[in-house]
Amino acid sequence: MTATTSTTSEPLSDTQPAPPVRPARPLVPARLDFAGVLAAEWRKLFSLRSTWWTLGLTVVLLALLALGQAAAIVETLDTPEGAAMMTGVHGAELVTGGYQFGMLTIAVLGALLITGEYSTGMIRSTFAAVPTRLPVLAAKALALSVLTVITAAVGFAAAYAVTLPILSEHDLVPSLTDGTTWQIVGGATAFLVAAALFALGVGTLLRSTAGAVTVALTVLLLLPGILQFITLDWVQTLVEYLPLPAAMAFVTVSDAFGASGDLTPWQGAAVVAAWALVPMIAAAVVLRRRDA
């Protein structure tokens, strides 16, 4: 007889201890604070090649145009008629003379800062990370303003350096202890910031680089030049409330540079500020209401 051996498996004991279970961590909603949004906008701003080209071109324009204007004015001063015409010219007006064209490149940068994201579709990722949207616009405005101030400071310093030999021959070197010097330099810098914010607001509203740049350049530069040929009184009054003529009320102190309007310096500053704030406020309202 052959013995058969049966194999049975022992069931696990119910009393065997179960492996320890780690308690689940509470879910904490990820929130990107304003400092994080601002840091992200700084990285995006400096990661664009167009930013560096625009800033470099702005500095070059501020320096070269100031040099050309200083050379032209000084040549005029060498004649009796020109000397009488240029009475009261302040050296800071010559140093900052390139701001009227420096605003063009700064305005392009302001428009590209928002329209570039719309053209690439990156704006959807940006708004997904910051659903409230308004911190994005505020961070862009702050980063753009700081960068514009730094660029203006570098550009005007370069303009001061290149015009110094010419201005020193005619005792027109602006003094750093003169309040008028800081009024002119500060006003020109503020106007560049206003131009950048105006373009940023328009770019947010239009979502188009070509459209935003066209509107910005038309309002900032073309309209004052075109409307000045229309001699109607109400048209000339309207011209004074455009950004560039309003800025001249604060930035210039002599008739040679157009300081002959009816606006006081602080009224001109208020008008320029309004041109910057109104598009930004409209952009903030529209940004919250429409889809990305």
Side-chain angles (χ1 to χ4, degrees), residues 111 115 199 202-204 206 208-217:
T115 59
V202 172
T204 306
L206 299 183
S208 167
T209 300
V213 171
T214 300
V215 171
L217 298 190

Side-chain angles (χ1 to χ4, degrees), residues 172-240:
L172 287 174
V173 178
S175 173
L176 298 180
T177 60
D178 184 6
T180 304
T181 298
W182 291 109
Q183 172 187 331
I184 296 171
V185 175
T189 302
F191 177 66
L192 293 176
V193 173
L197 294 178
F198 174 79
L200 176 62
V202 172
T204 306
L205 294 171
L206 299 183
R207 301 183 178 184
S208 167
T209 300
V213 171
T214 300
V215 171
L217 298 190
T218 299
V219 173
L220 294 173
L221 185 64
L222 295 181
L223 274 183
I226 294 173
L227 295 181
Q228 70 178 350
F229 295 104
I230 302 176
T231 56
L232 297 175
D233 291 340
W234 68 270
V235 173
Q236 295 305 310
T237 301
L238 177 64
V239 169
E240 292 186 10

Side-chain angles (χ1 to χ4, degrees), residues 65-272:
L65 291 176
L67 178 61
Q69 185 169 262
I73 293 296
V74 166
E75 185 176 347
T76 303
L77 290 174
D78 291 335
T79 63
E81 297 81 4
M85 185 186 305
M86 298 298 170
T87 301
V89 171
H90 196 282
E93 292 178 293
L94 301 175
V95 172
T96 61
Y99 79 93
Q100 297 186 26
F101 291 92
M103 70 176 178
L104 303 181
T105 51
I106 286 295
V108 171
L109 178 61
L112 286 174
L113 186 58
I114 184 68
T115 59
E117 289 198 54
Y118 277 110
S119 63
T120 60
M122 186 184 294
I123 196 70
R124 296 185 182 89
S125 301
T126 300
F127 289 158
V130 189
T132 53
R133 299 187 178 186
L134 292 187
V136 174
L137 184 61
K140 287 182 182 294
L142 180 57
L144 181 62
S145 299
V146 172
L147 188 58
T148 301
V149 170
I150 295 173
T151 303
V154 174
F156 290 144
Y160 179 85
V162 298
T163 58
L164 184 60
I166 298 176
L167 299 181
S168 59
E169 294 180 3
H170 294 79
D171 196 25
L172 287 174
V173 178
S175 173
L176 298 180
T177 60
D178 184 6
T180 304
T181 298
W182 291 109
Q183 172 187 331
I184 296 171
V185 175
T189 302
F191 177 66
L192 293 176
V193 173
L197 294 178
F198 174 79
L200 176 62
V202 172
T204 306
L205 294 171
L206 299 183
R207 301 183 178 184
S208 167
T209 300
V213 171
T214 300
V215 171
L217 298 190
T218 299
V219 173
L220 294 173
L221 185 64
L222 295 181
L223 274 183
I226 294 173
L227 295 181
Q228 70 178 350
F229 295 104
I230 302 176
T231 56
L232 297 175
D233 291 340
W234 68 270
V235 173
Q236 295 305 310
T237 301
L238 177 64
V239 169
E240 292 186 10
Y241 289 89
L242 291 174
L244 183 56
M248 288 181 177
F250 193 88
V251 173
T252 61
V253 294
S254 64
D255 293 340
F257 287 89
S260 57
D262 294 332
L263 295 181
T264 66
W266 288 109
Q267 287 174 338
V271 171
V272 171

